[in-house]
Amino acid sequence: MDEFDEMREMLDADEERIDDLERQNEALQERIKELELENHKLGATIDSDNKIILALTRALHKERTERG
């Protein structure tokens, strides 16, 4: 095997590695999108829960001040 063949093999290996990294990157980008959506849903749930807690706290405070 001459130097040219060795260089071609190295180049082929590099190209395969680049292809693998691109596939991994695409998979990671897709996972990021999924996590961003999940994060958005959780944020909405937390906001909703906070509104419920605030309403319950106000109702409890009102009840205590009316009785108290």
Side-chain angles (χ1 to χ4, degrees):
M1 180 180 299
D2 64 4
E3 188 175 325
F4 179 75
D5 289 335
E6 289 177 18
M7 291 177 67
R8 186 173 24 197
E9 283 184 8
M10 289 173 53
L11 180 60
D12 288 345
D14 288 346
E15 288 175 349
E16 288 178 24
R17 180 69 177 140
I18 288 170
D19 290 343
D20 288 343
L21 290 172
E22 286 175 346
R23 282 189 292 275
Q24 290 175 12
N25 186 44
E26 289 173 8
L28 288 171
Q29 291 297 326
E30 187 62 33
R31 183 65 179 138
I32 287 170
K33 288 178 185 177
E34 292 170 3
L35 291 172
E36 286 173 342
L37 179 60
E38 186 176 333
N39 186 45
H40 177 72
K41 289 178 182 178
L42 288 173
T45 300
I46 290 169
D47 288 344
S48 178
D49 290 351
N50 285 341
K51 288 177 184 176
I52 292 168
I53 292 167
L54 181 58
L56 291 172
T57 302
R58 287 179 178 163
L60 180 60
H61 177 70
K62 182 179 178 183
E63 183 178 317
R64 286 183 177 169
T65 54
E66 289 175 357
R67 288 186 181 182

